[in-house]
Amino acid sequence: MSAKGALSPARTTNAQANVCHSLPPSSSAACNRNRHRPPPRPSHPPSTLNPIFKWSPLLPPRHHPPNKVPRNFRLLEELEKGEKGIGDGSCSYGLEDGDDILMSNWNGTIIGPGHTVHENRIYSLKIFCGPSYPDARPDVQFISRVNLPFVDQTNGKVDWTKLPVLANWSRNLSIENVLVEIRKEMASFNNRKLPQPPEGSTF
């Protein structure tokens, strides 16, 4: 259509009105309502953000990993279990300081397995659970002197690369698992007869 034949806004409005008047009464009323109805407001997807904030496509929803227990809750569970005792009592652990609100520093005890050079010996250890525990493995260090392939003979620190329970660490493991596995290593065929330093000596 040429510019000359184009309808002006006023003529367009009149044309729409004429169409509405030419319709049956019910259709004419609907036509008039639609003509004066404001345009629909844009809809937004439901937001998982705090309701005080307006939705924005630039703010992604928060995601929480399923079944992931926070660090302090997890350590509280371990503390309660440690206080009740582990199995036959050959391994035990607890907080180094009861006022340690971060629950970072722990003491552990292992009673040497029978029928080995470790029999009747009591070994003391220190365990440190960092801010990323249990996603990150704990640091373990012997206070009592012991001769084991995965223990540094200068300071008693456990080399996690040589102890399977630490080398293959996952958040499903715990302080208890570490102590129990160390005791099993003491009783293993390769370690059960290793010569040991004098009983009661420390690093």
Side-chain angles (χ1 to χ4, degrees):
M1 182 181 293
S2 65
K4 182 177 179 180
L7 292 175
S8 67
R11 293 178 62 189
T12 301
T13 303
N14 292 335
Q16 291 174 340
N18 292 333
V19 170
C20 287
H21 286 308
S22 65
L23 295 173
S26 59
S27 299
S28 177
C31 182
N32 287 326
R33 283 198 303 271
N34 291 336
R35 190 155 52 92
H36 298 291
R37 181 176 297 169
R41 298 178 62 182
S43 60
H44 299 303
S47 174
T48 58
L49 296 173
N50 190 307
I52 67 172
F53 296 107
K54 294 182 178 179
W55 178 86
S56 168
L58 301 179
L59 296 176
R62 291 175 294 183
H63 296 284
H64 299 285
N67 303 322
K68 188 171 183 179
V69 180
R71 175 186 181 275
N72 281 11
F73 290 171
R74 166 64 180 274
L75 286 173
L76 278 173
E77 291 176 359
E78 294 198 41
L79 179 60
E80 291 177 4
K81 190 172 183 180
E83 289 175 343
K84 293 178 182 177
I86 306 172
D88 59 0
S90 57
C91 297
S92 60
Y93 62 91
L95 279 174
E96 183 178 294
D97 181 358
D99 294 328
D100 180 8
I101 60 173
L102 297 179
M103 293 183 285
S104 297
N105 298 295
W106 299 68
N107 288 327
T109 302
I110 298 174
I111 298 177
H115 309 294
T116 70
V117 294
H118 306 283
E119 186 171 10
N120 296 326
R121 289 194 176 198
I122 299 176
Y123 296 98
S124 298
L125 306 88
K126 293 191 297 184
I127 303 107
F128 176 76
C129 298
S132 298
Y133 182 89
D135 293 309
R137 65 182 65 83
D139 296 324
V140 184
Q141 182 178 7
F142 272 86
I143 298 173
S144 306
R145 281 197 170 274
V146 64
N147 179 25
L148 291 168
F150 49 85
V151 177
D152 189 323
Q153 294 304 303
T154 62
N155 53 26
K157 290 184 177 181
V158 173
D159 184 347
W160 64 266
T161 63
K162 297 179 180 179
L163 185 64
V165 68
L166 293 178
N168 302 313
W169 181 261
S170 76
R171 67 174 289 111
N172 296 323
L173 297 173
S174 64
I175 296 173
E176 175 185 345
N177 296 125
V178 174
L179 297 178
V180 169
E181 289 303 312
I182 289 177
R183 190 171 188 270
K184 286 181 180 179
E185 286 294 328
M186 290 178 173
S188 69
F189 178 80
N190 292 329
N191 300 329
R192 60 189 299 121
K193 294 183 179 180
L194 285 177
Q196 297 297 318
E199 187 174 357
S201 58
T202 58
F203 284 103

